[in-house]
Amino acid sequence: MQALVHPNGRLVLREQVYRAALGRGGVRLDKLEGDGATPVAVLPLRRVLYRADRVRAPECAVAVEPIAPDDGWCDDPAERDYNRMIRLPHDGHYEELWRRDALYDVIGVLGWNDAPVERGRGSAIFLHVARADYAPTEGCIALALDDLRRVLAIGVTEVLVVGG
């Protein structure tokens, strides 16, 4: 089931509209590492990760896995593990998935630049929890936790991000 994401921060699924935070760099067809943009593309939902110490496993149509304190995501184009989940510590630059804040309590891993991975085309594009003020992301799509859980439970399997 496909959700539609508009550049004005609306995610639409089954005629329901949800507020979404998008990348600080807007939405772009030519997504590059570090530009802060959300890619204009069909983004399949590969799997869902969650913090089992904080939230229960979400209901969804894809595989669900708990994360651990040593989980990360490599966002360093120079590394062989670029745009892949990794175990910490790790060489190169990475994002920690086990965050102090709640943004990664539920993470939908979106299929961007992963089949195959092209260095510099962008990494760590997730469907995750939004900040309370819906501040822009680094390129991800973020929803309120309850909305994210609802979208996953409805059965979303891909996200179509459309340009402006």
Side-chain angles (χ1 to χ4, degrees):
M1 179 175 309
Q2 186 180 76
L4 181 64
V5 175
H6 297 272
N8 64 359
R10 290 182 304 125
L11 182 146
V12 181
L13 179 65
R14 282 198 174 166
E15 300 180 15
Q16 293 283 71
V17 179
Y18 303 91
R19 183 177 178 189
L22 302 177
R24 63 177 163 70
V27 295
R28 298 180 57 112
L29 279 168
D30 56 345
K31 167 80 182 137
L32 297 172
E33 187 65 47
D35 65 4
T38 302
V40 172
V42 175
L43 305 171
L45 182 62
R46 302 287 193 212
R47 60 188 166 149
V48 172
L49 310 172
Y50 72 103
R51 285 273 309 249
D53 64 318
R54 292 186 179 168
V55 298
R56 62 178 163 48
E59 294 177 32
C60 60
V62 298
V64 179
E65 305 169 37
I67 57 173
D70 62 347
D71 285 332
W73 200 275
C74 181
D75 58 6
D76 188 338
E79 291 294 317
R80 63 176 168 68
D81 291 322
Y82 177 58
N83 200 24
R84 291 188 175 87
M85 192 169 173
I86 55 171
R87 294 281 183 239
L88 305 178
H90 190 272
D91 293 335
H93 196 267
Y94 56 83
E95 273 195 67
E96 292 182 21
L97 298 183
W98 192 270
R99 293 174 59 121
R100 287 191 173 109
D101 62 24
L103 298 186
Y104 286 178
D105 283 1
V106 176
I107 309 166
V109 178
L110 296 173
W112 171 255
N113 190 33
D114 64 344
V117 172
E118 295 179 43
R119 296 190 188 283
R121 289 272 300 148
S123 63
I125 302 300
F126 302 137
L127 181 61
H128 67 74
V129 180
R131 289 183 166 81
D133 64 355
Y134 289 85
T137 69
E138 292 300 310
C140 296
I141 301 163
L143 303 169
L145 178 59
D146 288 345
D147 290 346
L148 178 54
R149 293 183 78 85
R150 193 171 298 116
V151 164
L152 292 171
I154 289 171
V156 69
T157 57
E158 66 181 17
V159 176
L160 170 60
V161 179
V162 296

